[in-house]
Amino acid sequence: MAVLGEQLRELRARSFVGRESEMSLFRTALAEPGLIFVHGAGGVGKSALLEAFAHLAAAAGRPAVRVDARHMRLGPGTMPTVTGGDRPVLLNSCLRCPVTCLW
């Protein structure tokens, strides 16, 4: 019997539709360094898209590091250091985080 959390993840994955161009862009981006900035009004599906990106990264053998900016102390040099190889970083809620804290 599947755990409730697993069932919900599977349901979300099955109900995610569209965004083929974004998914293709992310697949390509996994092969080289770079930055993809996902932005839009609240409620348009940015977090769902990042979740789909995380699944693609894991399927490619590069599990993503997920960071929720709502729980970060803001300011220069506050991005966490990623260890354990070349892993994509998925930063959610970055509208709270000024651009200067990203570099």
Side-chain angles (χ1 to χ4, degrees), residues 7 16 25 27-28 30 32 41 45 51 64 67 79 84 90 103:
Q7 290 176 336
F16 184 83
L25 175 68
R27 280 187 197 93
T28 301
L30 278 173
E32 54 193 57
E51 183 69 23
V67 179
M79 277 299 290
L90 303 177
W103 287 273

Side-chain angles (χ1 to χ4, degrees), residues 30-91:
L30 278 173
E32 54 193 57
L35 174 69
I36 297 175
F37 184 66
V38 177
H39 60 93
V44 298
K46 297 178 299 293
S47 295
L49 182 59
L50 290 177
E51 183 69 23
F53 285 174
H55 288 292
L56 284 178
R62 297 183 59 207
V65 176
R66 300 175 194 198
V67 179
D68 189 335
R70 291 176 298 181
H71 306 294
M72 287 176 59
R73 180 180 302 152
L74 303 179
T78 59
M79 277 299 290
T81 302
V82 178
T83 59
D86 184 25
R87 297 173 60 187
V89 176
L90 303 177
L91 177 63

Side-chain angles (χ1 to χ4, degrees), residues 35 37 75-79 91 94-103:
L35 174 69
F37 184 66
T78 59
M79 277 299 290
L91 177 63
C94 66
L95 292 178
R96 269 194 84 243
C97 188
V99 173
T100 55
C101 83
L102 300 178
W103 287 273

